[in-house]
Amino acid sequence: MWVREQEVLEQIETALQPLMIPDDQIDSIIAYIKKTSASEQSDHRDNQRKYRKELLDVDTQIDRLTDLLVNNHITEGAYQRKHTQLQSRHTELTAHLQAQHVTVKETEQALIKLVRFMNNLDIAIKSSKNDIKRMVLKTLFSNLLLKGRNLEYTWVSGMWGCCNARLNQKWLGWQDSNLRMARSKPAALPLGYTPTI
């Protein structure tokens, strides 16, 4: 059976609708990504400081241990056991500090590109070259079949399995139509106000 390409593309666009992020949510999602990224950058810097401090402590302990051995305050066996333990920790800490991780900023930029791409997914499918269409389809679908004139598909992973529901409503979570506090709590401030410092 022959099926026009446009007919198949229309079915693909319908299948991709739940993945598309509406224009009115883009700014909020990007702001959330940037806020989360800033928090992760702060955590990363704190961890690096912690590892450097502990590395200095381990170096100091190794020096003291060597002094104890030189002054005959401990046996060679006790020195070897403790030195091996400290050297192992020294190696772990050095590896943490030297690890080549993808930076938080690079991850932030990749997520923002993904969000913008998901906002324009239909445009990518309609106007892009065939190799880009194939790349998008291979990325999102594991099985893409035509049964007669109807397109049948399976999402690539469980992550996309929830796309049968309107995923675009879940990007920022659900917001209740009643934005007041559910019920007052005896110790809570009125109307959910938080104290300022």
Side-chain angles (χ1 to χ4, degrees), residues 28-176:
S28 300
I29 293 170
I30 290 174
Y32 179 78
I33 290 170
K34 288 182 177 180
K35 177 181 166 190
T36 304
S37 176
S39 173
E40 286 181 20
Q41 283 177 330
S42 175
D43 290 347
H44 179 70
R45 283 191 298 272
D46 291 345
N47 284 336
Q48 292 295 91
R49 268 189 232 108
K50 182 184 80 169
Y51 290 141
R52 281 191 204 98
K53 183 184 179 308
E54 190 176 345
L55 191 59
L56 286 173
D57 290 346
V58 168
D59 284 336
T60 303
Q61 289 177 25
I62 289 173
D63 290 343
R64 286 182 186 158
L65 185 65
T66 305
D67 289 343
L68 290 173
L69 178 66
V70 169
N71 294 326
N72 292 323
H73 293 293
I74 59 171
T75 65
E76 181 77 29
Y79 169 82
Q80 285 299 333
R81 280 192 303 277
K82 189 63 178 174
H83 186 269
T84 302
Q85 181 185 5
L86 290 171
Q87 195 60 46
S88 174
R89 185 62 185 151
H90 189 281
T91 304
E92 287 174 23
L93 293 168
T94 304
H96 280 297
L97 287 169
Q98 293 176 348
Q100 295 296 323
H101 297 295
V102 174
T103 66
V104 176
K105 197 68 177 167
E106 288 170 342
T107 304
E108 173 190 323
Q109 291 168 352
L111 283 172
I112 289 171
K113 282 182 185 177
L114 174 66
V115 166
R116 290 201 168 116
F117 179 75
M118 298 308 279
N119 176 248
N120 297 308
L121 197 54
D122 58 337
I123 295 169
I125 291 297
K126 284 179 188 173
S127 64
S128 63
K129 298 177 184 175
N130 284 337
D131 56 335
I132 295 175
K133 287 180 189 177
R134 280 189 205 98
M135 186 259 322
V136 169
L137 296 177
K138 284 180 183 178
T139 302
L140 299 176
F141 301 106
S142 62
N143 295 320
L144 201 57
L145 304 169
L146 270 178
K147 273 207 172 169
R149 292 188 166 294
N150 297 324
L151 183 70
E152 291 188 1
Y153 56 90
T154 314
W155 297 108
V156 150
S157 68
M159 178 174 118
W160 301 108
C162 62
C163 291
N164 293 334
R166 295 288 297 174
L167 185 72
N168 60 3
Q169 295 173 350
K170 297 179 183 177
W171 279 94
L172 288 175
W174 296 96
Q175 188 176 31
D176 190 2

